[in-house]
Amino acid sequence: MEKRENSDINIILMGLDYFYTLEVGKLLSEQLEMYFLDSQGLYEFDIKPKTIDDIVNEFGIEYYRKAQNGTVKYICSFNSSILAIESGVVLNQENMERLDKYGLIVYICQSQDLLHTLYTSEEGLSDTKKQIYHLTKEEIETRDEKLKIASEILVEDNGEPLKCAFDIIKGIKKFYGVEQ
């Protein structure tokens, strides 16, 4: 698939710690003066007054994952925006092809140990949230590998969201061959 023109392209942020990705995305959008869109937030807005928990409880996790397809199609219709995308999207090849066509995919890579601790903790999670946010070591490794392959820019998480945002800007400049 051919990408949009560079002036219209989105910056697609993906990371296994979605909440960290959101934090970095907001900072990046301020630095680049671009709109920021949260794919999960848009989906939650679309299903109000229900929640993601309600949808997964009523229809199952597979239904939720299929619903993400529509959210990805919608979010890709925006231009020149920072888009935060939940890492489960990487499991659907069609979604990844669409994201690749309409954006520059940036993967915020985090240590396997940190992710394992984050995703195996069940503290405070409802049974429904466990279906979405509780990943096995193998699932973490699969998503990590798929995101590394799909990304055009890979940024190692350093624990500091603002520094991570600046590292992404450096990666974008390098990708486009802009002198630093």
Side-chain angles (χ1 to χ4, degrees), residues 145-176:
E145 190 59 35
K146 285 180 178 272
L147 286 167
K148 283 178 180 173
I149 291 167
S151 64
E152 291 144 312
I153 298 172
L154 181 104
V155 175
E156 294 288 335
D157 169 36
N158 51 33
E160 299 175 36
L162 187 58
K163 184 172 181 329
C164 189
F166 283 122
D167 288 347
I168 291 169
I169 292 169
K170 285 182 198 174
I172 293 168
K173 287 180 178 181
K174 183 177 178 183
F175 182 82
Y176 285 111

Short mmCIF file of all heavy atoms in Angstrom, two decimals, residues 145-176:
data_model
loop_
_atom_site.label_atom_id
_atom_site.label_comp_id
_atom_site.label_asym_id
_atom_site.label_seq_id
_atom_site.Cartn_x
_atom_site.Cartn_y
_atom_site.Cartn_z
N GLU A 145 6.91 -8.41 19.16
CA GLU A 145 7.56 -8.77 17.90
C GLU A 145 6.81 -8.19 16.71
O GLU A 145 7.43 -7.64 15.78
CB GLU A 145 7.68 -10.30 17.77
CG GLU A 145 8.54 -10.74 16.63
CD GLU A 145 9.98 -10.23 16.70
OE1 GLU A 145 10.53 -10.11 17.80
OE2 GLU A 145 10.53 -9.93 15.62
N LYS A 146 5.49 -8.29 16.71
CA LYS A 146 4.69 -7.75 15.60
C LYS A 146 4.85 -6.23 15.51
O LYS A 146 4.94 -5.69 14.40
CB LYS A 146 3.22 -8.12 15.77
CG LYS A 146 2.91 -9.57 15.45
CD LYS A 146 1.43 -9.86 15.66
CE LYS A 146 1.09 -11.27 15.30
NZ LYS A 146 0.74 -11.45 13.91
N LEU A 147 4.88 -5.55 16.66
CA LEU A 147 5.04 -4.10 16.65
C LEU A 147 6.44 -3.69 16.18
O LEU A 147 6.59 -2.69 15.47
CB LEU A 147 4.73 -3.51 18.02
CG LEU A 147 3.24 -3.48 18.36
CD1 LEU A 147 3.02 -3.20 19.84
CD2 LEU A 147 2.51 -2.46 17.50
N LYS A 148 7.44 -4.45 16.55
CA LYS A 148 8.80 -4.15 16.08
C LYS A 148 8.88 -4.28 14.56
O LYS A 148 9.52 -3.46 13.90
CB LYS A 148 9.82 -5.08 16.75
CG LYS A 148 10.13 -4.68 18.18
CD LYS A 148 11.09 -5.64 18.83
CE LYS A 148 11.39 -5.22 20.26
NZ LYS A 148 12.21 -6.22 20.97
N ILE A 149 8.23 -5.28 14.02
CA ILE A 149 8.24 -5.48 12.57
C ILE A 149 7.44 -4.39 11.86
O ILE A 149 7.87 -3.88 10.83
CB ILE A 149 7.67 -6.88 12.22
CG1 ILE A 149 8.64 -7.96 12.70
CG2 ILE A 149 7.39 -7.01 10.72
CD1 ILE A 149 8.05 -9.37 12.69
N ALA A 150 6.30 -4.00 12.41
CA ALA A 150 5.41 -3.04 11.76
C ALA A 150 5.87 -1.59 11.86
O ALA A 150 5.51 -0.76 11.03
CB ALA A 150 4.00 -3.15 12.35
N SER A 151 6.67 -1.29 12.87
CA SER A 151 7.02 0.12 13.11
C SER A 151 8.10 0.62 12.17
O SER A 151 8.99 -0.12 11.76
CB SER A 151 7.46 0.31 14.56
OG SER A 151 8.65 -0.40 14.81
N GLU A 152 7.96 1.89 11.84
CA GLU A 152 8.99 2.56 11.05
C GLU A 152 9.97 3.29 11.96
O GLU A 152 11.10 3.56 11.58
CB GLU A 152 8.32 3.52 10.06
CG GLU A 152 7.57 2.75 9.01
CD GLU A 152 6.27 3.39 8.57
OE1 GLU A 152 5.46 3.80 9.42
OE2 GLU A 152 6.07 3.46 7.35
N ILE A 153 9.49 3.60 13.15
CA ILE A 153 10.34 4.24 14.15
C ILE A 153 10.16 3.46 15.44
O ILE A 153 9.04 3.25 15.90
CB ILE A 153 9.96 5.72 14.36
CG1 ILE A 153 10.18 6.50 13.06
CG2 ILE A 153 10.77 6.33 15.51
CD1 ILE A 153 9.67 7.93 13.10
N LEU A 154 11.28 3.05 16.02
CA LEU A 154 11.25 2.32 17.28
C LEU A 154 11.97 3.18 18.31
O LEU A 154 13.10 3.60 18.10
CB LEU A 154 11.97 0.98 17.13
CG LEU A 154 11.97 0.14 18.39
CD1 LEU A 154 10.95 -0.99 18.25
CD2 LEU A 154 13.34 -0.42 18.65
N VAL A 155 11.27 3.47 19.41
CA VAL A 155 11.85 4.28 20.48
C VAL A 155 11.84 3.46 21.75
O VAL A 155 10.81 2.91 22.13
CB VAL A 155 11.02 5.59 20.67
CG1 VAL A 155 11.54 6.38 21.85
CG2 VAL A 155 11.03 6.42 19.42
N GLU A 156 12.99 3.36 22.38
CA GLU A 156 13.09 2.65 23.65
C GLU A 156 12.55 3.54 24.75
O GLU A 156 12.95 4.70 24.87
CB GLU A 156 14.55 2.28 23.94
CG GLU A 156 15.15 1.27 22.98
CD GLU A 156 14.61 -0.14 23.15
OE1 GLU A 156 14.14 -0.48 24.25
OE2 GLU A 156 14.64 -0.88 22.16
N ASP A 157 11.66 2.99 25.57
CA ASP A 157 11.12 3.73 26.71
C ASP A 157 12.23 3.95 27.71
O ASP A 157 12.98 3.05 28.05
CB ASP A 157 9.98 2.94 27.35
CG ASP A 157 9.56 3.52 28.69
OD1 ASP A 157 9.59 4.76 28.84
OD2 ASP A 157 9.22 2.74 29.59
N ASN A 158 12.32 5.17 28.19
CA ASN A 158 13.34 5.51 29.17
C ASN A 158 12.72 5.89 30.52
O ASN A 158 13.41 6.37 31.41
CB ASN A 158 14.20 6.65 28.64
CG ASN A 158 13.34 7.80 28.15
OD1 ASN A 158 12.27 8.05 28.69
ND2 ASN A 158 13.78 8.48 27.13
N GLY A 159 11.40 5.72 30.63
CA GLY A 159 10.72 6.04 31.89
C GLY A 159 10.36 7.49 32.05
O GLY A 159 9.73 7.88 33.04
N GLU A 160 10.73 8.31 31.10
CA GLU A 160 10.43 9.74 31.16
C GLU A 160 9.62 10.11 29.92
O GLU A 160 10.17 10.24 28.83
CB GLU A 160 11.71 10.56 31.21
CG GLU A 160 12.59 10.27 32.42
CD GLU A 160 13.91 11.02 32.35
OE1 GLU A 160 13.93 12.17 31.87
OE2 GLU A 160 14.91 10.43 32.78
N PRO A 161 8.31 10.33 30.08
CA PRO A 161 7.45 10.60 28.91
C PRO A 161 7.91 11.78 28.04
O PRO A 161 7.86 11.67 26.81
CB PRO A 161 6.08 10.88 29.53
CG PRO A 161 6.12 10.15 30.84
CD PRO A 161 7.54 10.25 31.31
N LEU A 162 8.38 12.86 28.65
CA LEU A 162 8.80 14.01 27.85
C LEU A 162 10.05 13.67 27.04
O LEU A 162 10.13 14.00 25.85
CB LEU A 162 9.05 15.23 28.75
CG LEU A 162 9.35 16.53 28.01
CD1 LEU A 162 8.20 16.89 27.06
CD2 LEU A 162 9.58 17.67 29.00
N LYS A 163 11.00 12.97 27.63
CA LYS A 163 12.19 12.56 26.89
C LYS A 163 11.81 11.58 25.78
O LYS A 163 12.35 11.65 24.67
CB LYS A 163 13.23 11.93 27.82
CG LYS A 163 14.52 11.58 27.09
CD LYS A 163 15.60 11.15 28.02
CE LYS A 163 16.90 10.82 27.33
NZ LYS A 163 16.89 10.30 26.00
N CYS A 164 10.86 10.71 26.06
CA CYS A 164 10.39 9.77 25.04
C CYS A 164 9.78 10.53 23.86
O CYS A 164 10.05 10.20 22.70
CB CYS A 164 9.37 8.81 25.66
SG CYS A 164 8.91 7.44 24.58
N ALA A 165 9.00 11.57 24.14
CA ALA A 165 8.41 12.39 23.08
C ALA A 165 9.50 13.04 22.24
O ALA A 165 9.42 13.07 21.00
CB ALA A 165 7.48 13.45 23.67
N PHE A 166 10.55 13.56 22.88
CA PHE A 166 11.66 14.16 22.15
C PHE A 166 12.41 13.12 21.32
O PHE A 166 12.85 13.41 20.21
CB PHE A 166 12.60 14.91 23.08
CG PHE A 166 12.06 16.25 23.53
CD1 PHE A 166 11.91 16.51 24.88
CD2 PHE A 166 11.71 17.23 22.62
CE1 PHE A 166 11.39 17.74 25.31
CE2 PHE A 166 11.20 18.46 23.03
CZ PHE A 166 11.05 18.71 24.38
N ASP A 167 12.55 11.91 21.86
CA ASP A 167 13.19 10.83 21.10
C ASP A 167 12.37 10.47 19.86
O ASP A 167 12.93 10.15 18.81
CB ASP A 167 13.39 9.59 21.97
CG ASP A 167 14.49 9.78 23.02
OD1 ASP A 167 15.27 10.75 22.93
OD2 ASP A 167 14.56 8.93 23.94
N ILE A 168 11.06 10.55 19.98
CA ILE A 168 10.19 10.29 18.82
C ILE A 168 10.40 11.38 17.77
O ILE A 168 10.51 11.09 16.57
CB ILE A 168 8.71 10.19 19.25
CG1 ILE A 168 8.49 8.91 20.07
CG2 ILE A 168 7.78 10.22 18.03
CD1 ILE A 168 7.15 8.83 20.77
N ILE A 169 10.48 12.62 18.20
CA ILE A 169 10.72 13.72 17.26
C ILE A 169 12.06 13.52 16.54
O ILE A 169 12.14 13.67 15.32
CB ILE A 169 10.67 15.09 17.98
CG1 ILE A 169 9.23 15.37 18.45
CG2 ILE A 169 11.17 16.21 17.06
CD1 ILE A 169 9.09 16.55 19.39
N LYS A 170 13.09 13.12 17.27
CA LYS A 170 14.39 12.82 16.65
C LYS A 170 14.24 11.69 15.63
O LYS A 170 14.81 11.74 14.55
CB LYS A 170 15.41 12.40 17.71
CG LYS A 170 15.95 13.52 18.54
CD LYS A 170 16.98 12.96 19.52
CE LYS A 170 17.24 13.88 20.67
NZ LYS A 170 18.12 13.29 21.68
N GLY A 171 13.47 10.66 16.00
CA GLY A 171 13.26 9.53 15.09
C GLY A 171 12.53 9.94 13.83
O GLY A 171 12.85 9.46 12.73
N ILE A 172 11.56 10.85 13.96
CA ILE A 172 10.81 11.34 12.79
C ILE A 172 11.76 12.13 11.88
O ILE A 172 11.76 11.95 10.65
CB ILE A 172 9.60 12.20 13.23
CG1 ILE A 172 8.57 11.31 13.93
CG2 ILE A 172 8.99 12.92 12.03
CD1 ILE A 172 7.47 12.10 14.65
N LYS A 173 12.57 12.99 12.47
CA LYS A 173 13.54 13.77 11.68
C LYS A 173 14.50 12.85 10.94
O LYS A 173 14.79 13.05 9.76
CB LYS A 173 14.31 14.74 12.58
CG LYS A 173 13.48 15.91 13.04
CD LYS A 173 14.30 16.83 13.93
CE LYS A 173 13.49 18.04 14.35
NZ LYS A 173 14.30 18.94 15.21
N LYS A 174 14.97 11.83 11.63
CA LYS A 174 15.90 10.88 11.02
C LYS A 174 15.20 10.11 9.89
O LYS A 174 15.77 9.92 8.81
CB LYS A 174 16.42 9.90 12.07
CG LYS A 174 17.45 8.94 11.53
CD LYS A 174 17.98 8.04 12.64
CE LYS A 174 18.97 7.04 12.08
NZ LYS A 174 19.44 6.10 13.10
N PHE A 175 13.95 9.70 10.12
CA PHE A 175 13.18 8.96 9.12
C PHE A 175 13.06 9.76 7.83
O PHE A 175 13.17 9.24 6.73
CB PHE A 175 11.81 8.61 9.66
CG PHE A 175 10.95 7.81 8.72
CD1 PHE A 175 11.11 6.44 8.61
CD2 PHE A 175 10.00 8.43 7.91
CE1 PHE A 175 10.33 5.69 7.73
CE2 PHE A 175 9.23 7.70 7.03
CZ PHE A 175 9.38 6.31 6.95
N TYR A 176 12.80 11.07 7.98
CA TYR A 176 12.62 11.93 6.82
C TYR A 176 13.92 12.57 6.33
O TYR A 176 13.90 13.37 5.40
CB TYR A 176 11.57 13.01 7.10
CG TYR A 176 10.16 12.43 7.06
CD1 TYR A 176 9.41 12.33 8.21
CD2 TYR A 176 9.61 11.98 5.87
CE1 TYR A 176 8.12 11.79 8.19
CE2 TYR A 176 8.33 11.44 5.82
CZ TYR A 176 7.60 11.35 6.98
OH TYR A 176 6.34 10.83 6.95
#
